Every structure is written in C-alpha cells, then in structure tokens.
Amino acid sequence: MREDTDNYRELFLNDTPMVDLRAPVEFNQGAFPTAVSLPLMSDDERAEVGTCYKQHGQQAAIKLGHQLVSGEIKEMRMARWTEFCRNNPQGYIYCFRGGLRSQTTQQWLKDAGIDYPLVRGGYKALRNALLDVITELSGTMPFNIVGGKTGSAKTLMVNTLANAVDLEGAAHHRGSSFGGYVHAQNTQINFENITAIAMLKKQHAGYQQLVFEDEGRHIGSVDLPAPLYQKMLAAPVAVVEDPLEVRLQRLLQDYVIDMVADYTRVHGEEQGHILCEEYLLSGLDRIRRRLGNERWQILREEMQKAIKVHQAGTGFDAHLNWLTPLLEWYYDPMYEYQLSLKADRITFRGDWQECHDYLLHQTAR
C-alpha cells in the first residue's frame, strides 16, 4: 500500500495523475495539468451542504452530504474513481484541504478493496507549493530575456531553447491585442500553475539560468506573478533585429492565415469566417484610442477589404495593406520606446539565429 504524501514538488516533477474531488466550479477556477475532475459532489450539492453547515453545523452537513451522494449517484461516482485508480496505479486523490472529501472518498475506495493514497493538505497545499516555486526561483536563478519588435518570432525562440519558459504558452495568449486564440485563455491560477511547474522542471533538469520572452505586466487577461515580473525587469536582454518584410510575413501567418484555419476547423467554414472577422476587427478596435481615430479608420477599411478578399478564396496578401502601417504607426514605435527604457540591460543585438546562438552559449555556462 502506498502512503499518503506531502511531497508536492515530486508530484509535479513526475507528472503524477491526480483526481480532483472538488466541485466543478472550484476545478474550473484553477487546477493542475495532470489532474482530472471527478468530484465527490456537484456544484449544487456542494452549495446545499455549505448552506447546511452554516445553519446547522458540521455534523448535519456531513449527514446531508452522505444522503446526497448515495445510491445510484454514489455508484456512478465510485465507478469513475475505481476506473481512474486502476488505470493510474501511481496516482493520488485530493480535495481542497485534504480533509473530509478526500478522506471520505479514500474510505469508500478502501471499502471496495482499493487502497489509494491522498495528498495531505490537498489543493491548497499543492497550490502554495507552486507559488513558493515561483518566488524561490525568481530569487535564486539568473534570467535572460528575449526582446524584439512584433513579429520577431520571440516565442519560437523560447520554444527552441531547452532552458526557456514559454509564458505566452502558459497564458494561452500571444500578449498583443491580436493575441487571442480560438479557445479561451487559461485562468490566472492555471497560468501560474503551468509557469511554476515549467520553472521547477527546468531547475530539476540542472539548468542554471532561465530564458523568458520580454513581456509586459499582463498577457491578455492574466498577470505575471510579482516576483517573476520584478526579476524580469532587471534581467539582461538579447534583442532580435529582423527585417520588416520578414516580420510582416510572420504576422500574416500568425494573425491571419493560421487564425482563419483554426476558426474554420473548430466552427466550420461559414461560422468560422464570421468569428475570425470578429477577432480581427475587435483586435484593431482595442487599440483605437492609441492609434487615433484617423489611423484606426484607415486600417479598419483596409482590414475589411482584405477580409473580403480572403473570404472569396483569392489569397491573404491584401492583409499586408493594414499590417504594414500597423507596425510602422503603432507596434514598432511603441517597442522602440519600451526598449529605450531597457538600454542599459541590452547585452546583445542580432538577427533571430544570432540571438538564438548567443542565448544558447550564454545559458550553457
């Protein structure tokens, strides 16, 4: 029989499968990459038990919980837990604090002949362990930052360096007004959890330094954890300097061609084109105030023309008519200003491959 555990970091380093026994509403707010939601109680049942607890105390709430999860409902949930346990003999179960929900489920499984361990301290302890990882490693590990204007393929570089952490991947957002994807962003909690696990794994693999893409305080709707962001603000920067034409082709691929393909794949041809058009127009509308009405109107008209062209099946090149001035009027001047504030931290400038080789050499030491 395996023992209950409080070796939280080991669970994440090993990608250990876990059953999250919390209610779906709790799981949806934030969980862990290897956890599956197999709740002891539904949202409604949890709310009912919570009300009973407030009005009548713990024992009455426990009794009500056993009444609500009984008979066929209990059998169905037991069947799912049993299947998980048999398919994942190395796994664990947890609830919010490692208390009644996980202990009750563990006992029910034991009564059915299955000894299965739980995580002591539950979700809260696991979550705190990951927050501690971010704080600890931000304080002890040197960072390197990949900078560069929009379209410099900084995320691609991050994903080709073994000791780099992809913050935009963790956020499921590319960090600009056109940075969303077909599917929703990760929650703040999930973003932090994914980032912490990635940092922990890099440290465990023996890397002495970490590489991050240059980011603002926010990536879409999520915020960088304060210790991580403060460390990034002081880290040396390698700046990718690729030609405008190269960057434009990357943006055309990322912002338009790939997004059209993703929207039509997920939503079908007709609805996909409609939703992709909304994505492009809303991305531009989000920076209307910074562009100014006159420039915004020019870009919007060019974008609408280009959308009609690609929807007619005659190619995507017309999108360069708004992407080019978008870079020249907005993104490039904005990044040049931001980079001027980091001038004392810039340690290298070069094209994409040169920056890649530089960071590979730097972080290999």
Side-chain angles (χ1 to χ4, degrees):
M1 176 181 173
R2 292 183 301 126
E3 298 294 325
D4 297 341
T5 187
D6 55 10
N7 195 341
Y8 311 121
R9 293 190 180 190
E10 200 69 26
L11 294 174
F12 295 120
L13 287 171
N14 293 331
D15 292 327
T16 306
M18 294 183 282
V19 171
D20 190 319
L21 295 162
R22 298 175 302 153
V25 65
E26 297 172 280
F27 184 88
N28 292 335
Q29 289 170 352
F32 309 109
T34 60
V36 296
S37 179
L38 295 176
L40 173 62
M41 292 185 288
S42 69
D43 292 336
D44 289 342
E45 290 162 354
R46 173 176 172 264
E48 195 173 340
V49 169
T51 300
C52 181
Y53 178 85
K54 291 177 184 177
Q55 294 177 349
H56 305 291
Q58 185 182 48
Q59 290 307 311
I62 293 172
K63 183 178 179 181
L64 176 60
H66 281 275
Q67 290 172 353
L68 292 173
V69 185
S70 61
E72 290 185 8
I73 292 175
K74 179 180 176 181
E75 288 177 12
M76 289 172 55
R77 291 174 194 173
M78 278 291 297
R80 293 177 188 144
W81 298 327
T82 299
E83 181 183 18
F84 180 93
C85 294
R86 287 174 178 162
N87 291 338
N88 300 279
Q90 76 279 35
Y92 290 83
I93 61 175
Y94 68 83
C95 60
F96 184 64
R97 290 191 180 89
L100 280 172
R101 283 183 284 184
S102 54
Q103 291 169 14
T104 298
T105 303
Q106 187 182 52
Q107 185 60 52
W108 286 350
L109 286 168
K110 189 173 184 178
D111 292 344
I114 301 172
D115 285 319
Y116 209 72
L118 58 80
V119 178
R120 290 194 284 267
Y123 167 84
K124 188 174 182 181
L126 289 164
R127 168 81 172 137
N128 286 336
L130 291 181
L131 293 176
D132 288 344
V133 165
I134 293 176
T135 300
E136 176 188 318
L137 298 191
S138 295
T140 59
M141 292 190 76
F143 287 3
N144 286 272
I145 305 299
V146 180
K149 294 177 179 177
T150 302
S152 296
K154 300 183 291 292
T155 304
L156 175 63
M157 186 174 299
V158 162
N159 282 303
T160 59
L161 293 168
N163 64 328
V165 176
D166 182 6
L167 294 173
E168 294 186 1
H172 195 59
H173 194 281
R174 287 166 293 195
S176 74
S177 61
F178 298 92
Y181 290 98
V182 176
H183 299 295
Q185 262 202 267
N186 285 327
T187 65
Q188 178 72 33
I189 291 172
N190 285 347
F191 165 65
E192 292 169 354
N193 290 346
I194 293 167
T195 299
I197 292 168
M199 293 173 68
L200 180 66
K201 287 183 175 181
K202 303 298 181 185
Q203 182 210 34
H204 185 72
Y207 295 109
Q208 302 299 310
Q209 302 183 38
L210 295 177
V211 177
F212 295 89
E213 182 175 343
D214 194 10
E215 303 287 357
R217 186 69 176 84
H218 315 285
I219 303 177
S221 63
V222 303
D223 299 334
L224 269 65
L228 176 65
Y229 182 59
Q230 291 302 316
K231 181 65 171 282
M232 290 173 65
L233 288 177
V237 183
V239 180
V240 181
E241 295 184 327
D242 275 348
L244 176 65
E245 295 74 21
V246 173
R247 294 189 291 118
L248 280 169
Q249 288 302 317
R250 288 183 184 134
L251 290 181
L252 179 63
Q253 186 70 42
D254 291 347
Y255 285 179
V256 182
I257 298 173
D258 287 350
M259 293 302 289
V260 169
D262 287 346
Y263 271 105
T264 54
R265 174 179 51 81
V266 173
H267 298 285
E269 196 76 16
E270 183 177 352
Q271 185 67 11
H273 278 302
I274 292 171
L275 292 173
C276 190
E277 180 175 359
E278 291 176 1
Y279 146 78
L280 288 169
L281 290 170
S282 64
L284 187 62
D285 290 346
R286 275 190 285 273
I287 56 174
R288 176 177 180 172
R289 183 177 60 82
R290 294 182 179 178
L291 278 169
N293 280 334
E294 184 177 349
R295 286 180 167 178
W296 168 79
Q297 188 63 47
I298 292 169
L299 295 183
R300 206 172 201 276
E301 289 173 2
E302 290 297 333
M303 180 184 283
Q304 288 173 317
K305 291 176 187 175
I307 289 170
K308 288 180 181 179
V309 169
H310 87 236
Q311 287 180 348
T314 51
F316 294 96
D317 284 351
H319 284 280
L320 295 172
N321 295 333
W322 65 268
L323 280 169
T324 304
L326 179 68
L327 287 187
E328 293 174 341
W329 292 346
Y330 178 67
Y331 281 117
D332 284 4
M334 178 177 65
Y335 194 75
E336 285 167 4
Y337 170 72
Q338 292 173 347
L339 206 58
S340 71
L341 303 177
K342 307 167 187 173
D344 61 330
R345 295 194 284 123
I346 296 173
T347 56
F348 187 83
R349 292 176 182 266
D351 64 23
W352 191 93
Q353 191 60 53
E354 289 168 341
C355 281
H356 179 275
D357 294 345
Y358 167 79
L359 287 168
L360 198 62
H361 174 72
Q362 284 293 106
T363 57
R365 294 184 299 177

Tab-separated table of all heavy atoms in Angstrom, residues 220-258:
chain	number	residue	atom	x	y	z
A	220	GLY	N	-2.624	39.251	-22.069
A	220	GLY	CA	-4.070	39.144	-22.181
A	220	GLY	C	-4.712	39.490	-20.856
A	220	GLY	O	-4.464	40.545	-20.274
A	221	SER	N	-5.488	38.572	-20.326
A	221	SER	CA	-6.232	38.814	-19.087
A	221	SER	C	-5.502	38.330	-17.842
A	221	SER	O	-6.019	38.462	-16.735
A	221	SER	CB	-7.604	38.144	-19.163
A	221	SER	OG	-7.457	36.736	-19.282
A	222	VAL	N	-4.308	37.742	-17.998
A	222	VAL	CA	-3.588	37.256	-16.822
A	222	VAL	C	-2.424	38.181	-16.482
A	222	VAL	O	-1.891	38.879	-17.347
A	222	VAL	CB	-3.071	35.805	-17.001
A	222	VAL	CG1	-4.209	34.863	-17.327
A	222	VAL	CG2	-1.983	35.734	-18.062
A	223	ASP	N	-2.036	38.171	-15.217
A	223	ASP	CA	-0.935	38.994	-14.720
A	223	ASP	C	0.271	38.116	-14.408
A	223	ASP	O	0.115	37.021	-13.848
A	223	ASP	CB	-1.335	39.730	-13.439
A	223	ASP	CG	-2.516	40.663	-13.650
A	223	ASP	OD1	-2.710	41.115	-14.789
A	223	ASP	OD2	-3.235	40.919	-12.670
A	224	LEU	N	1.451	38.606	-14.726
A	224	LEU	CA	2.647	37.895	-14.307
A	224	LEU	C	2.780	37.974	-12.791
A	224	LEU	O	2.549	39.040	-12.202
A	224	LEU	CB	3.889	38.506	-14.960
A	224	LEU	CG	4.338	37.913	-16.297
A	224	LEU	CD1	3.285	38.178	-17.365
A	224	LEU	CD2	5.675	38.486	-16.723
A	225	PRO	N	3.128	36.873	-12.133
A	225	PRO	CA	3.352	36.925	-10.682
A	225	PRO	C	4.408	37.977	-10.352
A	225	PRO	O	5.420	38.093	-11.056
A	225	PRO	CB	3.850	35.513	-10.356
A	225	PRO	CG	3.333	34.656	-11.472
A	225	PRO	CD	3.336	35.521	-12.686
A	226	ALA	N	4.186	38.733	-9.301
A	226	ALA	CA	5.047	39.866	-8.976
A	226	ALA	C	6.527	39.493	-8.847
A	226	ALA	O	7.383	40.200	-9.404
A	226	ALA	CB	4.552	40.549	-7.712
A	227	PRO	N	6.897	38.411	-8.145
A	227	PRO	CA	8.329	38.096	-8.038
A	227	PRO	C	8.976	37.820	-9.392
A	227	PRO	O	10.112	38.225	-9.644
A	227	PRO	CB	8.351	36.841	-7.153
A	227	PRO	CG	7.049	36.839	-6.433
A	227	PRO	CD	6.068	37.458	-7.379
A	228	LEU	N	8.240	37.130	-10.271
A	228	LEU	CA	8.745	36.811	-11.601
A	228	LEU	C	8.913	38.080	-12.428
A	228	LEU	O	9.953	38.308	-13.064
A	228	LEU	CB	7.779	35.842	-12.287
A	228	LEU	CG	8.085	35.463	-13.742
A	228	LEU	CD1	9.383	34.688	-13.816
A	228	LEU	CD2	6.941	34.643	-14.322
A	229	TYR	N	7.902	38.925	-12.424
A	229	TYR	CA	7.937	40.147	-13.226
A	229	TYR	C	9.051	41.085	-12.758
A	229	TYR	O	9.781	41.659	-13.580
A	229	TYR	CB	6.582	40.849	-13.154
A	229	TYR	CG	6.499	42.095	-13.996
A	229	TYR	CD1	6.710	42.044	-15.372
A	229	TYR	CD2	6.207	43.329	-13.414
A	229	TYR	CE1	6.622	43.188	-16.156
A	229	TYR	CE2	6.126	44.480	-14.181
A	229	TYR	CZ	6.337	44.405	-15.548
A	229	TYR	OH	6.267	45.540	-16.318
A	230	GLN	N	9.204	41.238	-11.451
A	230	GLN	CA	10.249	42.115	-10.931
A	230	GLN	C	11.639	41.616	-11.323
A	230	GLN	O	12.533	42.406	-11.648
A	230	GLN	CB	10.134	42.233	-9.410
A	230	GLN	CG	8.911	42.989	-8.933
A	230	GLN	CD	8.844	44.406	-9.490
A	230	GLN	OE1	9.840	45.125	-9.527
A	230	GLN	NE2	7.655	44.806	-9.937
A	231	LYS	N	11.826	40.292	-11.307
A	231	LYS	CA	13.115	39.735	-11.723
A	231	LYS	C	13.352	39.978	-13.212
A	231	LYS	O	14.472	40.314	-13.625
A	231	LYS	CB	13.150	38.232	-11.410
A	231	LYS	CG	14.466	37.543	-11.772
A	231	LYS	CD	15.614	38.070	-10.909
A	231	LYS	CE	16.870	37.224	-11.110
A	231	LYS	NZ	16.796	35.952	-10.365
A	232	MET	N	12.320	39.844	-14.023
A	232	MET	CA	12.444	40.071	-15.458
A	232	MET	C	12.819	41.521	-15.763
A	232	MET	O	13.554	41.802	-16.720
A	232	MET	CB	11.139	39.699	-16.167
A	232	MET	CG	10.856	38.207	-16.189
A	232	MET	SD	9.209	37.797	-16.838
A	232	MET	CE	9.360	38.341	-18.550
A	233	LEU	N	12.324	42.450	-14.952
A	233	LEU	CA	12.608	43.871	-15.169
A	233	LEU	C	14.085	44.221	-14.967
A	233	LEU	O	14.540	45.268	-15.438
A	233	LEU	CB	11.754	44.730	-14.223
A	233	LEU	CG	10.269	44.821	-14.522
A	233	LEU	CD1	9.564	45.648	-13.453
A	233	LEU	CD2	10.024	45.417	-15.905
A	234	ALA	N	14.812	43.353	-14.290
A	234	ALA	CA	16.224	43.621	-14.024
A	234	ALA	C	17.159	42.721	-14.830
A	234	ALA	O	18.378	42.847	-14.722
A	234	ALA	CB	16.506	43.447	-12.533
A	235	ALA	N	16.602	41.822	-15.645
A	235	ALA	CA	17.412	40.816	-16.329
A	235	ALA	C	18.010	41.357	-17.624
A	235	ALA	O	17.450	42.252	-18.261
A	235	ALA	CB	16.550	39.588	-16.627
A	236	PRO	N	19.161	40.807	-18.064
A	236	PRO	CA	19.761	41.205	-19.340
A	236	PRO	C	18.872	40.812	-20.516
A	236	PRO	O	18.157	39.806	-20.463
A	236	PRO	CB	21.090	40.449	-19.362
A	236	PRO	CG	20.934	39.335	-18.391
A	236	PRO	CD	19.989	39.815	-17.344
A	237	VAL	N	18.946	41.627	-21.591
A	237	VAL	CA	18.061	41.461	-22.743
A	237	VAL	C	18.873	41.230	-24.013
A	237	VAL	O	19.802	41.990	-24.306
A	237	VAL	CB	17.165	42.700	-22.937
A	237	VAL	CG1	16.202	42.486	-24.104
A	237	VAL	CG2	16.398	43.026	-21.659
A	238	ALA	N	18.517	40.194	-24.771
A	238	ALA	CA	19.042	39.977	-26.120
A	238	ALA	C	17.944	40.372	-27.110
A	238	ALA	O	16.827	39.866	-27.024
A	238	ALA	CB	19.438	38.521	-26.311
A	239	VAL	N	18.261	41.273	-28.025
A	239	VAL	CA	17.248	41.854	-28.907
A	239	VAL	C	17.351	41.270	-30.309
A	239	VAL	O	18.407	41.360	-30.960
A	239	VAL	CB	17.389	43.392	-28.977
A	239	VAL	CG1	16.319	43.978	-29.896
A	239	VAL	CG2	17.287	44.000	-27.589
A	240	VAL	N	16.249	40.688	-30.776
A	240	VAL	CA	16.172	40.177	-32.142
A	240	VAL	C	15.890	41.347	-33.083
A	240	VAL	O	14.938	42.106	-32.887
A	240	VAL	CB	15.049	39.133	-32.283
A	240	VAL	CG1	14.997	38.603	-33.714
A	240	VAL	CG2	15.247	37.990	-31.292
A	241	GLU	N	16.722	41.482	-34.124
A	241	GLU	CA	16.538	42.554	-35.095
A	241	GLU	C	16.395	41.941	-36.486
A	241	GLU	O	17.368	41.776	-37.217
A	241	GLU	CB	17.718	43.536	-35.037
A	241	GLU	CG	17.806	44.285	-33.709
A	241	GLU	CD	18.919	45.315	-33.690
A	241	GLU	OE1	19.964	45.091	-34.344
A	241	GLU	OE2	18.760	46.357	-33.006
A	242	ASP	N	15.177	41.591	-36.836
A	242	ASP	CA	14.878	41.033	-38.156
A	242	ASP	C	14.239	42.098	-39.040
A	242	ASP	O	13.584	43.022	-38.547
A	242	ASP	CB	13.935	39.833	-38.017
A	242	ASP	CG	14.677	38.539	-37.737
A	242	ASP	OD1	15.917	38.531	-37.870
A	242	ASP	OD2	14.031	37.539	-37.389
A	243	PRO	N	14.379	41.983	-40.366
A	243	PRO	CA	13.832	42.989	-41.279
A	243	PRO	C	12.303	43.051	-41.210
A	243	PRO	O	11.634	42.064	-40.859
A	243	PRO	CB	14.285	42.504	-42.658
A	243	PRO	CG	15.406	41.562	-42.399
A	243	PRO	CD	15.142	40.944	-41.071
A	244	LEU	N	11.769	44.225	-41.558
A	244	LEU	CA	10.320	44.437	-41.560
A	244	LEU	C	9.605	43.397	-42.413
A	244	LEU	O	8.565	42.864	-42.017
A	244	LEU	CB	10.013	45.845	-42.070
A	244	LEU	CG	8.526	46.206	-42.221
A	244	LEU	CD1	7.832	46.216	-40.862
A	244	LEU	CD2	8.373	47.568	-42.912
A	245	GLU	N	10.157	43.089	-43.588
A	245	GLU	CA	9.497	42.152	-44.508
A	245	GLU	C	9.367	40.763	-43.880
A	245	GLU	O	8.350	40.081	-44.052
A	245	GLU	CB	10.291	42.051	-45.823
A	245	GLU	CG	10.349	43.324	-46.635
A	245	GLU	CD	11.276	44.379	-46.035
A	245	GLU	OE1	12.175	44.006	-45.224
A	245	GLU	OE2	11.088	45.571	-46.350
A	246	VAL	N	10.396	40.349	-43.166
A	246	VAL	CA	10.365	39.042	-42.509
A	246	VAL	C	9.313	39.036	-41.407
A	246	VAL	O	8.520	38.087	-41.268
A	246	VAL	CB	11.754	38.697	-41.929
A	246	VAL	CG1	11.688	37.414	-41.092
A	246	VAL	CG2	12.772	38.551	-43.048
A	247	ARG	N	9.279	40.107	-40.625
A	247	ARG	CA	8.317	40.183	-39.526
A	247	ARG	C	6.877	40.240	-40.046
A	247	ARG	O	5.965	39.650	-39.460
A	247	ARG	CB	8.624	41.410	-38.655
A	247	ARG	CG	9.968	41.289	-37.944
A	247	ARG	CD	10.188	42.379	-36.923
A	247	ARG	NE	10.376	43.694	-37.507
A	247	ARG	CZ	9.593	44.730	-37.301
A	247	ARG	NH1	8.529	44.627	-36.502
A	247	ARG	NH2	9.850	45.898	-37.852
A	248	LEU	N	6.678	40.929	-41.141
A	248	LEU	CA	5.327	41.021	-41.719
A	248	LEU	C	4.817	39.655	-42.161
A	248	LEU	O	3.647	39.320	-41.950
A	248	LEU	CB	5.326	41.991	-42.910
A	248	LEU	CG	5.276	43.475	-42.559
A	248	LEU	CD1	5.555	44.320	-43.804
A	248	LEU	CD2	3.908	43.840	-41.975
A	249	GLN	N	5.674	38.869	-42.776
A	249	GLN	CA	5.253	37.548	-43.221
A	249	GLN	C	4.906	36.652	-42.035
A	249	GLN	O	3.964	35.865	-42.100
A	249	GLN	CB	6.347	36.906	-44.087
A	249	GLN	CG	6.492	37.537	-45.465
A	249	GLN	CD	5.203	37.491	-46.274
A	249	GLN	OE1	4.486	36.474	-46.302
A	249	GLN	NE2	4.887	38.597	-46.948
A	250	ARG	N	5.652	36.805	-40.946
A	250	ARG	CA	5.326	36.024	-39.747
A	250	ARG	C	3.968	36.431	-39.186
A	250	ARG	O	3.162	35.584	-38.791
A	250	ARG	CB	6.405	36.229	-38.686
A	250	ARG	CG	7.736	35.560	-39.000
A	250	ARG	CD	8.698	35.779	-37.847
A	250	ARG	NE	10.017	35.240	-38.105
A	250	ARG	CZ	11.150	35.884	-37.859
A	250	ARG	NH1	11.096	37.106	-37.332
A	250	ARG	NH2	12.313	35.323	-38.099
A	251	LEU	N	3.719	37.744	-39.127
A	251	LEU	CA	2.441	38.218	-38.586
A	251	LEU	C	1.281	37.816	-39.480
A	251	LEU	O	0.204	37.473	-38.993
A	251	LEU	CB	2.470	39.743	-38.416
A	251	LEU	CG	3.375	40.273	-37.311
A	251	LEU	CD1	3.278	41.787	-37.238
A	251	LEU	CD2	2.999	39.672	-35.967
A	252	LEU	N	1.486	37.879	-40.784
A	252	LEU	CA	0.445	37.443	-41.716
A	252	LEU	C	0.093	35.984	-41.446
A	252	LEU	O	-1.097	35.614	-41.418
A	252	LEU	CB	0.922	37.620	-43.161
A	252	LEU	CG	-0.048	37.173	-44.261
A	252	LEU	CD1	-1.325	38.006	-44.237
A	252	LEU	CD2	0.627	37.267	-45.636
A	253	GLN	N	1.109	35.172	-41.213
A	253	GLN	CA	0.873	33.762	-40.942
A	253	GLN	C	0.172	33.576	-39.594
A	253	GLN	O	-0.830	32.854	-39.487
A	253	GLN	CB	2.202	33.004	-40.940
A	253	GLN	CG	2.066	31.496	-40.806
A	253	GLN	CD	1.484	30.849	-42.047
A	253	GLN	OE1	1.841	31.194	-43.174
A	253	GLN	NE2	0.566	29.912	-41.850
A	254	ASP	N	0.696	34.256	-38.545
A	254	ASP	CA	0.189	34.048	-37.190
A	254	ASP	C	-1.182	34.665	-36.971
A	254	ASP	O	-2.080	34.031	-36.392
A	254	ASP	CB	1.168	34.649	-36.164
A	254	ASP	CG	2.473	33.887	-36.085
A	254	ASP	OD1	2.540	32.768	-36.625
A	254	ASP	OD2	3.432	34.420	-35.496
A	255	TYR	N	-1.343	35.917	-37.365
A	255	TYR	CA	-2.562	36.660	-37.052
A	255	TYR	C	-3.711	36.363	-38.011
A	255	TYR	O	-4.879	36.513	-37.640
A	255	TYR	CB	-2.295	38.174	-37.102
A	255	TYR	CG	-1.527	38.739	-35.934
A	255	TYR	CD1	-1.204	40.094	-35.883
A	255	TYR	CD2	-1.117	37.936	-34.870
A	255	TYR	CE1	-0.493	40.634	-34.816
A	255	TYR	CE2	-0.403	38.461	-33.805
A	255	TYR	CZ	-0.095	39.818	-33.783
A	255	TYR	OH	0.598	40.352	-32.738
A	256	VAL	N	-3.377	35.968	-39.235
A	256	VAL	CA	-4.434	35.829	-40.240
A	256	VAL	C	-4.556	34.392	-40.744
A	256	VAL	O	-5.559	33.719	-40.495
A	256	VAL	CB	-4.209	36.792	-41.430
A	256	VAL	CG1	-5.361	36.648	-42.438
A	256	VAL	CG2	-4.077	38.234	-40.958
A	257	ILE	N	-3.533	33.904	-41.420
A	257	ILE	CA	-3.654	32.604	-42.093
A	257	ILE	C	-3.947	31.488	-41.096
A	257	ILE	O	-4.892	30.698	-41.276
A	257	ILE	CB	-2.383	32.292	-42.911
A	257	ILE	CG1	-2.189	33.357	-44.004
A	257	ILE	CG2	-2.465	30.894	-43.527
A	257	ILE	CD1	-0.868	33.236	-44.753
A	258	ASP	N	-3.153	31.426	-40.031
A	258	ASP	CA	-3.360	30.362	-39.039
A	258	ASP	C	-4.693	30.526	-38.314
A	258	ASP	O	-5.370	29.528	-38.010
A	258	ASP	CB	-2.224	30.358	-38.014
A	258	ASP	CG	-0.926	29.831	-38.598
A	258	ASP	OD1	-0.943	29.290	-39.718
A	258	ASP	OD2	0.127	29.980	-37.929
